[in-house]
Amino acid sequence: MKITDFKRMMAEGIPHEMPALKSYDQNLNHAPKRKDILNSVEKRLAIKNALRYFPERFHPLLAKEFAYELATYGRIYMYRFRPDYVIKARHIDDFPYRTRSAAAIMLMISNNLDITVAQHPHELITYGGNGAVFQNWAQYRLTMKYLSEMTEEQTLVIYSGHPLGLFPSTKDAPRLVVTNGMVIPNYSSQDHWEKFNALGVSQYSQMTAGSYMYIGPQGIVHGTTITLLNAARMTGKSDNGLKCKLFVSSGLGGMSGAQPKAASIAGIISVIAEVNQKALKTRHSQGWVDEVFSDLNSLVKRVRKATAEKKAISIAYEGNVVDVWEKFADENIYVDLGSDQTSLHNPWSGGYYPAGLSFEESNRMITENPEKFKDAVRKSLRRQVEAINRHTARGTYFFDYGNAFLLEASRAGGDILKPDGEFKYPSYVQDIMGPVCFDFGFGPFRWVCCSNEPSDLEVTDKIAIDVLRKLIKKSPDQIKQQMNDNIHWIKDAGKNRLVVGSQARILYADAEGRIEIASAFNNAISEDKISAPVVIGRDHHDVSGTDSPYRETSNIYDGSKFTADMAVQNVIGDSFRGATWVSLHNGGGVGWGEVINGGFGMVLDGTPDTETKLRRMLHWDVNNGIARRSWARNKAAMFTLKREMERTPDLNVTIPYIADDEIIDEALKGV
Ligand SMILES: NC(=O)c1ccc[n+]([C@@H]2O[C@H](COP(=O)([O-])OP(=O)(O)OC[C@H]3O[C@@H](n4cnc5c(N)ncnc54)[C@H](O)[C@@H]3O)[C@@H](O)[C@H]2O)c1
């Protein structure tokens, strides 16, 4: 396709002529049929809502088609309007635009919908089963049209995928403001989402799906690497925690599949059990797992050899993780680190496969005898906990990976609670991400090269290494480890070939690191060392971006973990300090109604104006969360904030006085 034709089609919006009906591509992964939740009056409303995007002459045909889609898929995707061109990240100048910022946003949206990147591309879902970019193809088309027409003095407003329109604003305002799933708090149950989404008035966008900041599996590999490195350090200080430890876990699926790759990058031996042969084969063929075993005795032999040789290797066990935990306990195999990444947030419909049943038997039982299946899951969880407890009694460090393992194991009656009712084991954020990373300001900074050229990514990698190496020389001891880990990561990032889709990179950095890296990129763009603009952004799973009481803010202990002021303030603050786009969401990995999260995108174009904006915005984007974490009396955050206030004269934040518990005990006596 000629580039001029592509540009014309991108800018077309809703076509004047009815496009041909599209066939349902069986080769692609499609979203499951959604719950039939609307009553007959609401179904009429859903169709009427969908027809709003089209001229009346299209209505007789489309009304029937949309009624069919609603009945068949539980949603109206408007498949007919999916464009014919290939949707993927391209050079920024290949997109039609009046302002380059808008073209950068088009690039990011296109990457999120690329069929090699997105989970259910034709249903506009990027990841997580429900992480939507748009609700339907009309919204996609209109958004692209608006972006192609936008000037430097307009802002596009998007409500849950629906482009409300272009509004006059200023050059310094964001070009785009996105909200996803923002509902009145009392209407935030799972069924509310099902209903509002079926009506076409709201959507669930996970974190980086509806903020156009997804960069494929690289983000999760990096996060898992950092988690494992820090977990390993908690298991023995003499060798800095990193002498080829053994890690046991489960799952080679969407996110869990990053475990063996990340363990190898961290220099750790991993054994990951997976019951689904298809998932296991995918990860093996990608080279993310080195060896596969289906016999427990051979597995034990191989693990003994690897630990004796101290050679990091990733091993998949084709079978149930419960069997691995039990066998290793019986055989006295010392496991340094343990976790679980079955999809226990969804225990009854295939998220967790019970021991003693084959994969196929389980799948049959889920539909034929769901109550018997639930019993099998509970029994298996009790067995799993018992085996894990045998390991932890010998010194294994076990942590929950945000998959509701501890919660479901306790509900199943597993021996997982302490006498005070708390879980015996920590979650990865409580023990690792929170105190080791977020409280010091370290979080998932990322960037995308808008030339779409690997050579530009290589230049940015080198710049990032140079900046971090320079900064570490004057870093306080408390953050040297984090700096080193990320220098190590970025040094090998190209070699690890983690790019899928756009030319993107991620690393963890604190406020200073993010600012200095972004500034160095901006300079390099102005000097033509990088051939096109660079978009910077981050995962919402960050210092300030997410309020989520059982994940990102689970290490907030002043009772405020159920508030969402931080995430909302963050987006507002980013928007007037220079972000090119901002985005605020209800719902992320832990579910609709369980989390508020937000993020930003900023286009670095090499200008002095951008230099001012990036310094202003990134400083707030990290220090907002540091200030909140400090107010919650988190020690590392108090340290980081004090250091920041010394560096930044205009920063003046309220610091908590720490009350002595004895005084409070005394005061409460006899009250
Ligand atoms: N990796 C992270 O950073 C992270 C962060 C937060 C939450 N999580 C959570 O981790 C969980 C996994 O996510 P995912 O995207 O990989 O899900 P997924 O469903 O794609 O993968 C889970 C895998 O576990 C396998 N499995 C289930 N029961 C098993 C058993 N008993 N033994 C062995 N294998 C079994 C399944 O076959 C499946 O392939 C989710 O609950 C997710 O919310 C992960």
Side-chain angles (χ1 to χ4, degrees):
M1 180 180 290
K2 278 200 266 168
I3 199 71
T4 44
D5 291 336
F6 170 70
K7 284 187 180 180
R8 182 182 44 74
M9 289 163 90
M10 279 289 279
E12 182 186 30
I14 304 295
H16 293 294
E17 300 296 322
M18 181 78 85
L21 195 60
K22 297 268 181 313
S23 59
Y24 191 79
D25 187 345
Q26 297 293 355
N27 296 319
L28 282 183
N29 192 345
H30 287 279
K33 181 180 187 309
R34 305 296 185 187
K35 203 166 171 176
D36 180 16
I37 196 157
L38 302 183
N39 61 32
S40 56
V41 176
E42 290 162 343
K43 281 180 181 157
R44 289 179 64 85
L45 186 57
I47 295 165
K48 198 168 179 179
N49 285 348
L51 291 173
R52 283 186 280 195
Y53 290 100
F54 304 96
E56 286 82 359
R57 66 179 193 283
F58 286 0
H59 288 187
L61 187 140
L62 290 182
K64 278 199 193 115
E65 208 163 293
F66 293 166
Y68 171 81
E69 286 192 14
L70 190 59
T72 313
Y73 310 111
R75 297 289 186 272
I76 301 172
Y77 297 114
M78 311 181 182
Y79 286 121
R80 180 192 284 272
F81 292 92
R82 184 166 53 76
D84 291 319
Y85 52 81
V86 176
I87 301 180
K88 60 175 188 179
R90 301 160 188 261
H91 190 287
I92 186 170
D93 293 335
D94 287 355
F95 294 96
Y97 65 82
R98 291 172 75 187
T99 157
R100 249 180 159 191
S101 299
I105 298 168
M106 288 171 148
L107 183 161
M108 300 295 282
I109 292 176
S110 301
N111 187 60
N112 275 23
L113 293 172
D114 180 338
I115 58 168
T116 66
V117 173
Q119 186 182 16
H120 309 307
H122 287 184
E123 288 78 31
L124 303 113
I125 302 284
T126 302
Y127 71 96
N130 48 15
V133 187
F134 298 102
Q135 298 179 68
N136 57 56
W137 286 102
Q139 294 178 343
Y140 165 86
R141 281 178 170 266
L142 272 179
T143 300
M144 290 307 187
K145 180 173 162 53
Y146 281 133
L147 286 170
S148 70
E149 293 166 351
M150 173 196 278
T151 71
E152 283 284 332
E153 298 203 331
Q154 286 176 307
T155 294
L156 176 62
V157 175
I158 296 199
Y159 287 8
S160 281
H162 170 65
L164 194 68
L166 289 171
F167 290 75
S169 64
T170 67
K171 195 168 165 290
D172 283 335
R175 297 278 68 81
L176 171 67
V177 176
V178 179
T179 47
N180 282 304
M182 300 313 292
V183 294
I184 305 300
N186 250 345
Y187 301 84
S188 207
S189 71
Q190 177 74 14
D191 273 356
H192 283 121
W193 164 66
E194 296 275 3
K195 180 178 271 201
F196 302 149
N197 195 219
L199 284 172
V201 296
S202 192
Q203 73 176 11
Y204 192 110
S205 280
Q206 291 277 353
M207 292 188 165
T208 52
S211 61
Y212 325 137
M213 201 39 81
Y214 187 67
I215 56 164
Q218 188 180 166
I220 204 77
V221 174
H222 177 267
T224 312
T225 305
I226 293 293
T227 305
L228 289 179
L229 279 172
N230 287 300
R233 291 190 182 110
M234 295 189 176
T235 66
K237 298 286 176 201
S238 58
D239 53 5
N240 194 22
L242 295 178
K243 271 275 163 62
C244 226
K245 310 259 171 182
L246 173 62
F247 170 57
V248 171
S249 185
S250 54
L252 290 171
M255 290 201 270
S256 50
Q259 293 176 105
K261 178 92 182 165
S264 296
I265 294 172
I268 290 168
I269 302 164
S270 58
V271 174
I272 314 293
E274 171 57 67
V275 286
N276 181 345
Q277 221 181 40
K278 225 168 138 185
L280 190 151
K281 272 199 180 134
T282 305
R283 293 307 185 192
H284 192 220
S285 67
Q286 283 174 336
W288 283 31
V289 57
D290 300 321
E291 296 179 17
V292 178
F293 288 82
S294 50
D295 170 67
L296 280 171
N297 289 323
S298 318
L299 174 69
V300 166
K301 239 169 100 183
R302 183 65 185 94
V303 169
R304 284 199 206 287
K305 186 167 178 274
T307 47
E309 289 171 352
K310 293 199 178 303
K311 190 163 179 286
I313 181 162
S314 56
I315 303 170
Y317 171 66
E318 191 187 329
N320 204 292
V321 72
V322 180
D323 298 328
V324 175
W325 282 116
E326 288 177 346
K327 180 75 176 172
F328 283 12
D330 293 345
E331 297 280 342
N332 276 317
I333 294 214
Y334 182 74
V335 177
D336 301 271
L337 296 168
S339 194
D340 187 89
Q341 271 206 62
T342 55
S343 278
L344 267 165
H345 67 270
N346 173 29
W348 316 129
S349 11
Y352 180 89
Y353 286 86
L357 293 175
S358 72
F359 184 62
E360 292 73 22
E361 280 167 341
S362 285
N363 283 335
R364 264 200 307 277
M365 202 185 279
I366 287 170
T367 46
E368 288 169 10
N369 198 341
E371 286 312 310
K372 195 168 168 197
F373 182 74
K374 284 184 187 176
D375 278 344
V377 167
R378 291 190 194 102
K379 190 167 153 225
S380 179
L381 279 170
R382 289 196 294 274
R383 261 177 70 182
Q384 188 169 340
V385 166
E386 207 180 299
I388 289 168
N389 288 346
R390 285 168 71 194
H391 285 276
T392 55
R394 294 180 196 157
T396 299
Y397 174 72
F398 183 87
F399 61 97
D400 183 287
Y401 216 141
N403 64 338
F405 174 79
L406 295 176
L407 182 70
E408 288 306 330
S410 70
R411 284 178 177 161
D415 177 15
I416 201 98
L417 297 176
K418 293 191 287 197
D420 64 2
E422 293 289 315
F423 293 126
K424 281 185 180 173
Y425 306 116
S427 88
Y428 76 117
V429 176
Q430 264 179 310
D431 242 23
I432 303 169
M433 282 295 162
V436 179
C437 298
F438 296 163
D439 287 352
F440 286 106
F442 283 82
F445 179 63
R446 55 182 59 177
W447 64 90
V448 172
C449 296
C450 293
S451 63
N452 210 29
E453 289 294 339
S455 53
D456 269 346
L457 187 60
E458 232 175 87
V459 176
T460 58
D461 281 351
K462 285 197 188 110
I463 292 174
I465 297 172
D466 288 347
V467 170
L468 292 182
R469 281 194 173 138
K470 213 164 91 195
L471 290 179
I472 198 173
K473 287 187 190 146
K474 54 183 177 91
S475 293
D477 289 347
Q478 287 89 333
I479 64 167
K480 278 210 159 68
Q481 193 99 72
Q482 289 303 322
M483 298 288 284
N484 262 325
D485 286 351
N486 283 285
I487 291 171
H488 173 72
W489 159 267
I490 193 79
K491 222 161 37 78
D492 290 343
K495 206 170 71 195
N496 283 323
R497 291 191 288 121
L498 293 160
V499 167
V500 177
S502 59
Q503 293 299 317
R505 187 66 75 218
I506 180 167
L507 54 75
Y508 265 43
D510 63 359
E512 188 183 22
R514 300 183 207 203
I515 290 169
E516 293 312 322
I517 291 171
S519 168
F521 289 170
N522 202 46
N523 281 337
I525 295 164
S526 74
E527 292 164 2
D528 281 336
K529 290 180 184 150
I530 299 173
S531 72
V534 170
V535 167
I536 56 167
R538 57 165 173 74
D539 192 355
H540 298 188
H541 179 65
D542 194 13
V543 181
S544 325
T546 295
D547 275 301
S548 180
Y550 300 107
R551 242 174 61 176
E552 286 78 355
T553 39
S554 59
N555 74 321
I556 299 280
Y557 300 105
D558 69 349
S560 73
K561 67 180 177 182
F562 298 100
T563 64
D565 299 295
M566 177 181 76
V568 175
Q569 286 278 358
N570 212 62
V571 165
I572 296 172
D574 284 353
S575 75
F576 63 77
R577 286 183 174 85
T580 310
W581 74 98
V582 289
S583 159
L584 184 66
H585 302 196
N586 169 17
V590 288
W592 173 267
E594 303 286 354
V595 46
I596 299 291
N597 62 89
F600 74 89
M602 182 186 255
V603 180
L604 304 181
D605 57 3
T607 61
D609 196 27
T610 298
E611 173 71 15
T612 311
K613 285 182 180 176
L614 74 86
R615 288 193 176 272
R616 220 166 38 198
M617 196 211 69
L618 289 172
H619 185 269
W620 158 256
D621 189 61
V622 180
N623 282 302
N624 167 38
I626 296 294
R628 186 269 176 106
R629 288 167 186 274
S630 159
W631 185 239
R633 295 181 285 263
N634 289 12
K635 279 207 181 89
M638 290 174 74
F639 162 82
T640 309
L641 184 63
K642 282 181 189 153
R643 183 172 168 244
E644 194 54 55
M645 286 208 279
E646 279 160 23
R647 287 165 15 102
T648 312
D650 281 351
L651 181 69
N652 194 352
V653 180
T654 320
I655 304 280
Y657 294 102
I658 310 293
D660 185 335
D661 283 333
E662 278 181 23
I663 295 178
I664 300 169
D665 290 343
E666 193 61 35
L668 287 171
K669 263 186 204 155
V671 175

